[in-house]
Amino acid sequence: MKMQQFLQFLTQQLTHWRRQYKGLRRKGKLIRSPKGKSHRRELLRTMLKNVLLFLSKTNEKSVGVARRKHRRKQERALKSKVKSVKTKSSIYAVGLDWVHEQRSSVILAIAVVSLTGIIGHKLYNQTQIQVGNPAPQTITAPYTASIEDQKKTEAERKAVSKSSLQMLMVDARMNEQINENLQQLLDDGNKIRTVAGAFPFFDPVVLSISTQRYLRSCPDSEWQALLLAIENSKKQQKKETGRTAASSRSSSIAAPNQERQPRTTPSKSDSQSPQLKPEKTEPVDFSQNTDFTQAEAELESYRVTTSEKNLSLLIAQISQTRQKYTQAIAKLLQLKTATPEAVYEASLLLDLSDVEWEKTQMGIHQSTERILTQGIPQGLPKNILQDAVSLQLQTFVPESAEPLAKNLLLAVLKPNLQKDEEQTRENAQKAAAGVLPVMVKIRHGEVIVKKGEQITAWNFEVLEHYHLIRREVKWQELVKLAGIIAIAIGIFVWIERHLDCELRQRDRLLVLLLTLSVPGAIAMGLPYTTWSALGLLLGSFYGPTLGLTVVGLLLPILGISLDMSKAALLAGAGGGILGSYIAQRLRSREELALLGVAIALTQGGIYLVVKILIGQAFGSTWYIVLREAGLFALSGLGWSVVALGLSPYLEKLFDLVTPIRLAELANPNRPLLKRLATETPGTFQHTLLVATLAEAAAKELGCNVELVRAGTLYHDIGKMHDPLGFIENQMGGANKHDTEIKDPWKSAEIIKKHVTEGLVMARKHLLPTAIQDFIPEHQGTMLIAYFHHQAQQMAQSDPSLTVDDADFRYDGPIPQSRETGIVMLADSCEAALRSLQASAKHVGEKRSLKDVSTEQALTMLNNILRAKWQDNQLVDSGLTREEMSQVAQIFVDVWQQFHHKRIAYPKLKASGAARNF
């Protein structure tokens, strides 16, 4: 029981206070000052006292009495407080009214102050004394202190950093290039040796390696002389056949070692042998040539130990090998001619045996790997590299191949060690961090700087340490900056008005907030500012002109006010300009995402181009420029993603309509449109036809087609409150206005209610204001003629009834834009065209629809539009009288496209049709 009484009491108190609050609000005297807040605190304190008093009472009667007494006291206190509030808050009410009337100027002032405050943030804490200026007075040290000489400390740390050991790293690409070049040289050597043939070409037991090398490469004269010597030896052996067996054996044994006879031209009988065909030459003595003598002896020994036939085969093989060797020499000369840097020599390459060549190649690879692993630094003396190569080759390459291998390696080896920037920087930083600060002791009373002397950086550090430097706000610079910003805002306002783009105060506030994001990010130390988000959002919300205006005005202001990289500034502005120019042309979030990629590429590309033009993209810092260009591209993409994420929230918070949002609202799967199609199918079909007419007219007149489309789809949603109250939803059934209501005043109320109920539904579903405007403005203040006529007829028969036109007119307002005016005309003309179509079907046997539309449709629509014009329904819409006839013609053309003539199919007899079925 007590709890119930308490709740009733609390309800009464809240109701009483709510009424007082509404009264103050209607009078425009709502408490907004700190004093007003104290009054409200007192009221809350009083309510809490009442609650505690009520809970402290145990007797129900005493509680009731106390409650009544307390309530009377409270009512008296509230009345007195209300009176005081009325007197005290009148000044605040006047102030609030003035602010409301001057809200444009207030927002302008806020814009100037906020932009000046953020862009000029560095002007707040400026020192009175500057480095390089003369000292205004002699300044001494107030106490003894040890102060770090930052300049000397930094100099020592830089010296240590420069003298720190540079770290080197192996360049893998250079190693790969060296190995490729080496392999190419070895492949060339293999090709030449393939042409020369296998070596040794005969059994080394029979012919030694040195003899085979000589036989393959000796001149033709020596080869011919060698053949002649062998033939002479053969003849001499035949003359000694008559001697005894013992002397024959001894002479045959000593024959190879005897002194050779002078060589003469072989006789005709000797030339009959097909294997030995020496040319006629002058006698030459080759006995001093040890290679010649050894080759002759080994060939003679082979003839003696085997047979003449085997010797002939060997000589033929030697001749063939000599030909291949000659071809290999020619190939080698051709290679040297083509590539002057070729390192091969015939004596080094072709004199190696096949086994030695394989070992040489393997050893060269192993030596190269070890040398490259150890690394070759830049500037290494040539003799040191030669010594290192020789030491490596001694282990892996045969001794006879060392000169060739050395030439090969020296030809391809290059420095493969490069500076490890990161590791070197880390070492330099560690070395610099180990340097102790250079401290200078300043004694009490010591003169820091004398009057009139130029202030050095060291003097400034000392004064800063002793807090002897006063700081101040550079008001003069701030005023100049505010003037520049005011001029820029004036240009923006001028462009806004000349573009006939009426921005609301909330729109101006949003433009200001988005504009502040760019200098705000710079003030926080972010080099990658929000240019791309600014351009994308402004272009999407307000069109390319206003977006380009904001970006174009902000660019020079930031350029002259802030100390930042011009390349970064131009790169960001380029992304903002691209976003502003293209954003409103896009019709989906996916296209906006692709625009974000284009903005990223634009920002990175502009940054790189600017750096190339000023010459900073070349030299040792090129990789830093590329990295910064990549970061600017990523920042452009990142801020574009942020803008895409914020766009839906900003659209709802600031009540904006963009082409993308309008396309989403026009989706027939939206809950409100699905209800309209389900609950009022006739109204939905009517809406689609009106949308088609209005969209065609809007496109022809250059209006916002997406807005017209979306607004038309929602203009009659209020008819869902009573679907059968509208004839298009009755589907041929009984008309409730004739059968049930039978009162034109009530019927008119039902018809008018679809506007108010439509606004309620639109607000409930959070439709934008631009869409809500179509609901009342498409009817304007038109007269509901049908029921108005019924009421006049009833008033004629019953004099006690009076007909007030206001009861049969919509509440308005009349169309305030070209878009809502077009929808009003399309809504009125659609019903007329539908009735004309019905009459055309009724007389269809005599006249075609084309004849009807040509003769009647245009006349009827012109009469309807003229009536709307004369009723002053379009005076605020912006539509002109000349556009009325143009709109009528557009409606007729669209209507004819919908109801074009079709081919008449032949009629079937009933019996035949039944049989076919």
Side-chain angles (χ1 to χ4, degrees):
M1 188 67 179
K2 291 182 180 181
M3 181 58 67
Q4 185 177 1
Q5 292 176 355
F6 169 71
L7 293 175
Q8 290 177 356
F9 168 70
L10 186 60
T11 303
Q12 291 173 0
Q13 287 290 102
L14 293 175
T15 304
H16 178 69
W17 289 333
R18 190 182 298 111
R19 289 173 181 171
Q20 287 184 335
Y21 177 79
K22 289 182 178 179
L24 292 175
R25 190 175 180 181
R26 284 195 298 271
K27 294 179 181 180
K29 298 178 180 180
L30 185 62
I31 303 172
R32 298 180 183 272
S33 66
K35 294 182 179 179
K37 293 182 180 179
S38 64
H39 284 303
R40 282 180 283 182
R41 293 194 191 98
E42 291 180 8
L43 293 177
L44 294 174
R45 195 179 296 113
T46 302
M47 186 184 71
L48 293 175
K49 287 180 179 179
N50 288 333
V51 174
L52 294 175
L53 180 62
F54 178 82
L55 294 176
S56 64
K57 299 297 182 179
T58 57
N59 191 345
E60 183 176 349
K61 292 182 179 180
S62 61
V63 169
V65 173
R67 187 178 67 241
R68 286 193 295 273
K69 290 181 179 180
H70 221 62
R71 188 166 55 201
R72 293 193 192 101
K73 291 181 181 180
Q74 187 182 9
E75 288 176 356
R76 289 195 297 269
L78 284 173
K79 288 179 181 178
S80 63
K81 290 181 183 297
V82 168
K83 290 180 181 179
S84 64
V85 166
K86 289 180 179 179
T87 57
K88 293 180 180 179
S89 64
S90 58
I91 299 176
Y92 304 120
V94 172
L96 290 175
D97 292 339
W98 181 85
V99 170
H100 180 73
E101 292 175 359
Q102 303 294 328
R103 57 188 182 276
S104 298
S105 301
V106 171
I107 291 179
L108 176 63
I110 293 174
V112 173
V113 172
S114 58
L115 284 170
T116 304
I118 294 179
I119 296 176
H121 65 280
K122 291 186 177 180
L123 301 175
Y124 300 150
N125 195 24
Q126 295 293 317
T127 59
Q128 290 181 338
I129 299 176
Q130 300 290 337
V131 176
N133 293 341
Q137 61 185 12
T138 301
I139 306 174
T140 59
Y143 55 88
T144 303
S146 294
I147 304 174
E148 179 187 355
D149 191 339
Q150 296 182 359
K151 186 175 181 180
K152 291 183 179 179
T153 303
E154 188 65 24
E156 289 190 8
R157 288 176 177 172
K158 285 184 178 179
V160 171
S161 297
K162 290 182 179 179
S163 62
S164 62
L165 183 63
Q166 288 189 354
M167 301 300 294
L168 301 177
M169 60 183 295
V170 175
D171 189 352
R173 289 180 297 179
M174 180 57 68
N175 286 356
E176 183 178 355
Q177 181 180 355
I178 291 173
N179 287 323
E180 288 179 358
N181 294 338
L182 177 61
Q183 188 60 44
Q184 181 64 41
L185 289 177
L186 293 177
D187 291 342
D188 293 340
N190 286 323
K191 292 178 181 178
I192 295 172
R193 288 182 61 86
T194 301
V195 174
F199 185 78
F201 55 86
F202 201 73
D203 188 1
V205 176
V206 177
L207 292 178
S208 63
I209 298 295
S210 58
T211 300
Q212 294 188 41
R213 187 180 293 119
Y214 170 74
L215 291 175
R216 187 175 61 166
S217 60
C218 68
D220 287 340
S221 59
E222 293 188 24
W223 171 243
Q224 295 298 331
L226 181 61
L227 294 179
L228 183 59
I230 294 172
E231 186 65 23
N232 291 335
S233 176
K234 177 181 175 182
K235 291 180 180 179
Q236 184 179 358
Q237 186 177 6
K238 288 181 178 180
K239 292 179 180 179
E240 296 176 352
T241 54
R243 296 182 180 180
T244 60
S247 61
S248 177
R249 284 196 300 270
S250 62
S251 63
S252 63
I253 294 173
N257 298 324
Q258 289 178 356
E259 192 177 68
R260 301 295 182 239
Q261 296 293 330
R263 293 167 178 78
T264 56
T265 303
S267 62
K268 187 179 296 184
S269 61
D270 296 335
S271 63
Q272 293 176 355
S273 175
Q275 290 84 7
L276 303 177
K277 298 180 179 179
E279 298 178 359
K280 293 182 179 181
T281 58
E282 294 297 329
V284 180
D285 185 11
F286 291 101
S287 60
Q288 301 300 323
N289 189 338
T290 57
D291 292 333
F292 181 91
T293 305
Q294 182 179 356
E296 181 183 0
E298 292 182 3
L299 289 174
E300 185 66 25
S301 176
Y302 180 71
R303 182 178 66 80
V304 172
T305 56
T306 58
S307 63
E308 293 291 340
K309 182 178 180 182
N310 290 338
L311 179 61
S312 300
L313 293 175
L314 176 58
I315 291 175
Q317 185 177 355
I318 294 173
S319 299
Q320 187 178 3
T321 301
R322 286 176 57 80
Q323 293 177 0
K324 292 181 179 180
Y325 184 83
T326 303
Q327 294 175 0
I329 295 296
K331 182 77 173 178
L332 183 59
L333 292 175
Q334 183 180 359
L335 179 64
K336 285 186 176 182
T337 304
T339 55
E341 64 272 10
V343 297
Y344 287 117
E345 296 181 7
S347 60
L348 298 178
L349 176 64
L350 299 178
D351 288 350
L352 296 176
S353 66
D354 292 345
V355 176
E356 289 176 333
W357 175 245
E358 291 296 330
K359 292 181 179 180
T360 301
Q361 293 186 86
M362 186 179 301
I364 288 174
H365 283 297
Q366 292 174 347
S367 301
T368 304
E369 183 178 358
R370 294 188 64 176
I371 293 173
L372 294 180
T373 302
Q374 294 174 358
I376 304 174
Q378 295 284 349
L380 183 68
K382 189 174 182 180
N383 60 335
I384 295 179
L385 181 61
Q386 291 175 352
D387 294 340
V389 170
S390 299
L391 290 175
Q392 293 293 339
L393 293 176
Q394 288 177 3
T395 307
F396 301 105
V397 176
E399 183 178 357
S400 59
E402 286 184 12
L404 174 63
K406 185 176 181 180
N407 291 341
L408 286 174
L409 286 181
L410 292 176
V412 297
L413 287 179
K414 296 179 182 179
N416 69 328
L417 292 179
Q418 63 178 0
K419 185 178 179 181
D420 190 343
E421 297 288 346
E422 184 176 356
Q423 191 64 36
T424 301
R425 184 165 52 252
E426 290 181 1
N427 288 348
Q429 290 175 354
K430 290 180 181 179
V435 176
L436 296 176
V438 178
M439 306 300 293
V440 178
K441 189 174 183 179
I442 307 296
R443 299 185 179 277
H444 173 69
E446 183 179 344
V447 176
I448 300 174
V449 63
K450 294 181 180 180
K451 182 179 179 179
E453 287 185 353
Q454 189 176 10
I455 298 175
T456 63
W458 167 245
N459 298 146
F460 190 85
E461 289 182 16
V462 175
L463 294 174
E464 188 79 347
H465 177 81
Y466 284 115
H467 303 288
L468 297 176
I469 298 177
R470 293 180 57 189
R471 297 184 178 271
E472 62 179 358
V473 178
K474 297 292 185 180
W475 292 107
Q476 187 176 2
E477 300 296 328
L478 281 175
V479 170
K480 291 181 181 178
L481 179 60
I484 296 173
I485 292 174
I487 293 173
I489 294 176
I491 295 173
F492 174 81
V493 173
W494 182 84
I495 292 176
E496 171 196 341
R497 292 180 177 177
H498 280 72
L499 286 176
D500 195 21
C501 178
E502 297 182 2
L503 296 183
R504 303 163 298 176
Q505 304 309 324
R506 66 181 69 182
D507 296 327
R508 295 189 177 95
L509 180 60
L510 178 59
V511 172
L512 174 61
L513 293 176
L514 293 176
T515 304
L516 288 173
S517 66
V518 176
I522 297 174
M524 290 187 294
L526 295 176
Y528 314 108
T529 53
T530 62
W531 285 103
S532 57
L534 172 68
L536 197 149
L537 291 175
L538 287 180
S540 179
F541 293 160
Y542 305 112
T545 304
L546 286 182
L548 292 173
T549 300
V550 172
V551 175
L553 293 174
L554 190 60
L555 176 61
I557 293 175
L558 296 181
I560 62 177
S561 304
L562 298 178
D563 185 15
M564 62 180 301
S565 171
K566 298 302 183 286
L569 191 63
L570 292 175
I577 290 172
L578 180 63
S580 300
Y581 186 71
I582 299 179
Q584 202 174 49
R585 302 182 182 182
L586 308 182
R587 294 296 181 268
S588 66
R589 307 283 180 191
E590 181 181 0
E591 292 178 346
L592 284 177
L594 293 177
L595 176 59
V597 176
I599 290 174
L601 296 177
T602 300
Q603 289 195 177
I606 291 178
Y607 183 86
L608 187 60
V609 169
V610 172
K611 287 294 185 179
I612 290 175
L613 292 178
I614 63 179
Q616 294 185 5
F618 306 102
S620 60
T621 60
W622 63 268
Y623 64 94
I624 298 178
V625 174
L626 288 180
R627 183 190 65 189
E628 288 297 315
L631 290 176
F632 267 98
L634 289 177
S635 70
L637 181 61
W639 284 118
S640 299
V641 173
V642 171
L644 289 177
L646 289 176
S647 179
Y649 301 101
L650 294 177
E651 289 171 2
K652 290 187 177 181
L653 182 61
F654 289 90
D655 193 22
L656 298 167
V657 288
T658 60
I660 294 177
R661 191 179 183 194
L662 291 174
E664 293 172 351
L665 290 173
N667 188 346
N669 291 320
R670 302 282 294 188
L672 205 55
L673 295 181
K674 291 182 73 173
R675 278 188 57 197
L676 183 66
T678 304
E679 299 177 13
T680 58
T683 299
F684 185 69
Q685 293 300 322
H686 157 76
T687 298
L688 294 179
L689 293 176
V690 172
T692 304
L693 295 174
E695 198 173 353
K699 184 177 182 181
E700 190 68 24
L701 298 182
C703 300
N704 191 334
V705 179
E706 290 84 3
L707 180 60
V708 169
R709 176 74 177 176
T712 308
L713 291 176
Y714 290 94
H715 81 287
D716 270 345
I717 59 174
K719 291 183 179 181
M720 286 189 288
H721 85 283
D722 188 3
L724 295 179
F726 302 89
I727 191 170
E728 67 265 19
N729 297 315
Q730 293 171 2
M731 303 298 179
N735 192 338
K736 63 184 294 185
H737 297 283
D738 297 333
T739 58
E740 298 179 12
I741 301 176
K742 298 179 182 180
D743 185 351
W745 282 269
K746 291 184 179 180
S747 297
E749 284 296 326
I750 293 174
I751 299 300
K752 289 170 62 176
K753 198 174 182 181
H754 90 275
V755 173
T756 56
E757 289 294 329
L759 287 174
V760 171
M761 293 181 183
R763 295 187 184 110
K764 182 180 179 181
H765 287 78
L766 302 178
L767 294 181
T769 302
I771 301 297
Q772 295 181 24
D773 291 341
F774 284 85
I775 297 174
E777 293 181 17
H778 88 279
Q779 296 291 0
T781 58
M782 290 192 302
L783 187 68
I784 305 175
Y786 181 80
F787 296 111
H788 181 262
H789 180 68
Q790 279 189 353
Q792 287 180 335
Q793 288 182 339
M794 292 176 65
Q796 290 177 0
S797 60
D798 187 357
S800 62
L801 297 176
T802 58
V803 179
D804 187 0
D805 288 351
D807 296 334
F808 295 92
R809 281 192 178 274
Y810 290 98
D811 297 330
I814 61 176
Q816 301 296 306
S817 65
R818 290 162 61 86
E819 287 78 11
T820 55
I822 289 173
V823 174
M824 170 186 274
L825 301 178
D827 185 64
S828 301
C829 294
E830 190 275 336
L833 291 173
R834 188 188 301 171
S835 63
L836 185 62
Q837 177 189 357
S839 63
K841 289 182 179 179
H842 181 68
V843 296
E845 296 179 357
K846 297 181 179 180
R847 303 175 66 187
S848 67
L849 183 62
K850 183 177 181 181
D851 296 334
V852 173
S853 65
T854 302
E855 296 176 1
Q856 297 180 359
L858 193 57
T859 302
M860 180 183 292
L861 296 191
N862 281 323
N863 292 335
I864 293 173
L865 301 186
R866 189 180 302 110
K868 295 289 185 293
W869 185 267
Q870 294 174 353
D871 195 23
N872 294 326
Q873 297 295 319
L874 301 169
V875 292
D876 295 338
S877 66
L879 294 172
T880 62
R881 185 67 180 269
E882 290 75 13
E883 291 173 336
M884 293 294 102
S885 57
Q886 187 178 358
V887 169
Q889 185 62 52
I890 294 170
F891 288 168
V892 171
D893 294 340
V894 175
W895 180 68
Q896 286 181 336
Q897 293 172 7
F898 266 90
H899 303 95
H900 55 273
K901 186 177 179 181
R902 294 183 178 273
I903 298 174
Y905 289 95
K907 296 182 179 180
L908 299 176
K909 294 182 180 181
S911 59
R915 285 195 299 270
N916 290 337
F917 180 74

